[in-house]
Amino acid sequence: MSHTASLANAPLADPSDGGAVHSSPTFAFEPNANPIAANERAAQLVNPGFGRVFTDHMVTIRYSEAAGWHDAKIVARAPFTMDSASAVLHYAQEIFEGMKAYRLPDGGAALFRPTANAARFRSSAERMAMVPLPEELFVESVRAIVRQEADWIPDIDGGALYLRPFMIASEVFLGVKPSAEYLYAVIASSVGAYFKGGAPAVTLWVSQDYTRAAPGGTGAAKCGGNYAASLIAQAEATRQGCDQVLFLDAVERRWIEELGGMNIFFVFDDGTLQTPPLTGTILPGITRDSLITLARDMGLTVREEPYAIDQCRADAASGRLREAFACGTAAVVTPIGTMKMVDGAFDIADGGAGETTSRLRQALIDLQRGVAPDPHGWLERVI
Ligand code: PLP
Ligand code: COI
């Protein structure tokens, strides 16, 4: 079923709506009657932090078995009214995405690989037994919110409009089965750096008590439940004075998997890179995939192979391990300086940002912000 057909009953945008500067034919526009004033918005964009400043509007689309995907709208961002028996509140049938819109040098705005997020959203939906949103509709929805809210992209170093598409099971029913109704939404948040102070290098707590995902589980899906399960380990990391938690595999408790919200790479003294393979227990990061390609474009060797924490520690001691970094939409590329575990901490090289890490980070940022060539066609101009 194409989304055009499934949206047959969505009202078209009203050209007389006044505020719909960027109206889209797919999304009806109901403007926020009380948008934040331009001077107040400017004040919020000076130092937005991460995930606390929200824009005036959101996208919503509903699904029911009878109507398919329907009622696509851009509306004022506001609380949802939900039945207390809505399935998501009981069984956590929920998925989300994280992506950014970047300001281009000419004042326009672009998304980075939005079709990759759309594909991952579909596979997350399939894993969580949810009805997948058509991928073109996903991409249209993020384009529409960026067009509507482009004034919210902060013009600060590292600033972007972070987009959070998500979908929840909205059927009112307490039986345990896949929901027959869904609500999809996209909210947008003006963001700066994820780590406070831009973090020159972060410290990881290696979780030896808790794991994130087991074989056959939901590790490769971007579902809220994975993050709920990670919070106790992240809280432990914070108590230990660390920025992020590093998870090991659930079977042998030995193989490095990923961080609570980022993938991980290692750089060795022979100039090669290594990152854990996608075996179903880690999130297939779009930043991870992009960096593998950018590194290979630079002539570097990248292995997608398991790396054991004991080997990592030994390699850090011997000097074979030269650099490590975390990567993701929120974190971009963040050097890892120190790893801490129950029986002690160890630094990676001098504990600062390494040369390969800095080079890859700059290459990615330049591409995302439209100041470097885009040989892979990853940047999608929206405005
Ligand atoms: N791993 C986890 C658990 C994440 O939450 C994220 C962030 O989305 C990533 C990895 C990186 O994924 P991406 O590069 O697509 O943002
Ligand atoms: C992202 O990078 O988009 C994430 O979802 C990770 C989270 C730490 C914000």
Side-chain angles (χ1 to χ4, degrees):
M1 177 166 56
S2 87
H3 75 263
T4 318
S6 63
L7 279 173
N9 52 355
L12 292 181
D14 177 3
S16 66
D17 60 23
V21 191
H22 306 295
S23 64
S24 133
T26 309
F27 297 89
F29 185 54
E30 296 170 13
N32 186 329
N34 293 301
I36 293 176
N39 61 341
E40 167 62 11
R41 180 176 63 224
Q44 291 188 16
L45 298 191
V46 173
N47 183 16
F50 188 92
R52 295 196 184 276
V53 172
F54 297 100
T55 70
D56 292 316
H57 296 91
M58 64 181 176
V59 166
T60 59
I61 314 178
R62 294 198 169 265
Y63 175 88
S64 68
E65 284 175 354
W69 289 103
H70 65 286
D71 202 14
K73 300 192 268 206
I74 298 177
V75 294
R77 196 186 74 85
F80 291 130
T81 302
M82 294 181 78
D83 194 290
S84 50
S86 296
V88 65
L89 298 178
H90 302 271
Y91 311 122
Q93 208 189 0
E94 188 267 358
I95 56 170
F96 67 95
E97 269 304 321
M99 55 206 292
K100 281 175 175 169
Y102 304 91
R103 182 71 74 199
L104 295 172
D106 65 3
L111 289 160
F112 182 69
R113 304 186 71 182
T115 53
N117 293 93
R120 188 170 67 187
F121 197 65
R122 164 179 280 274
S123 81
S124 295
E126 283 164 357
R127 176 61 183 85
M128 301 306 287
M130 301 169 94
V131 173
L133 182 75
E135 290 176 41
E136 329 81 89
L137 187 52
F138 176 100
V139 175
E140 248 184 87
S141 72
V142 288
R143 271 193 213 121
I145 198 75
V146 174
R147 283 196 191 106
Q148 185 60 45
E149 306 290 60
D151 289 346
W152 287 87
I153 303 176
D155 286 318
I156 55 170
D157 193 28
L161 189 63
Y162 182 81
L163 307 166
R164 174 51 64 85
F166 64 103
M167 177 157 71
I168 60 175
S170 52
E171 187 179 358
V172 178
F173 179 60
L174 289 184
V176 181
K177 60 138 193 119
S179 177
E181 290 169 25
Y182 295 94
L183 170 62
Y184 167 79
V186 189
I187 55 173
S189 173
S190 308
V191 300
Y194 185 75
F195 291 107
K196 277 203 187 76
V202 293
T203 304
L204 303 188
W205 169 251
V206 182
S207 180
Q208 291 165 287
D209 290 335
Y210 303 108
T211 57
R212 176 182 175 276
T218 58
K222 206 159 166 61
C223 60
N226 287 343
Y227 297 80
S230 77
L231 295 178
I232 190 168
Q234 179 59 42
E236 191 174 63
T238 306
R239 267 202 312 280
Q240 292 288 342
C242 297
D243 299 294
Q244 269 278 312
V245 57
L246 173 66
F247 288 107
L248 304 177
D249 77 289
V251 178
E252 294 183 58
R253 307 280 183 112
R254 186 172 165 231
W255 303 102
I256 290 172
E257 296 232 304
E258 64 177 325
L259 281 52
M262 291 140 221
N263 293 117
I264 189 165
F265 279 76
F266 301 92
V267 185
F268 296 94
D269 58 356
D270 61 359
T272 62
L273 285 90
Q274 188 162 331
T275 190
L278 302 178
T279 58
T281 54
I282 67 173
L283 193 79
I286 293 156
T287 317
R288 173 191 180 280
D289 183 73
S290 307
L291 290 169
I292 290 174
T293 301
L294 289 178
R296 288 181 179 152
D297 288 352
M298 291 174 182
L300 300 171
T301 298
V302 186
R303 291 180 300 275
E304 293 180 75
E305 283 172 17
Y307 193 41
I309 188 66
D310 40 357
Q311 188 66 50
C312 174
R313 190 173 190 148
D315 289 344
S318 74
R320 179 174 172 255
L321 178 61
R322 300 299 306 155
E323 305 175 33
F325 61 86
C327 67
T329 298
V332 195
V333 170
T334 303
I336 296 163
T338 304
M339 296 205 192
K340 190 172 173 189
M341 43 207 291
V342 171
D343 51 353
F346 60 96
D347 285 344
I348 294 160
D350 63 3
E355 195 189 311
T356 303
T357 303
S358 303
R359 220 173 127 208
L360 281 169
R361 179 173 184 279
Q362 200 59 47
L364 180 68
I365 291 174
D366 287 350
L367 200 160
Q368 289 172 330
R369 293 177 190 271
V371 299
D374 177 21
H376 304 286
W378 285 340
L379 210 54
E380 191 186 304
R381 178 185 279 274
V382 177
I383 298 172

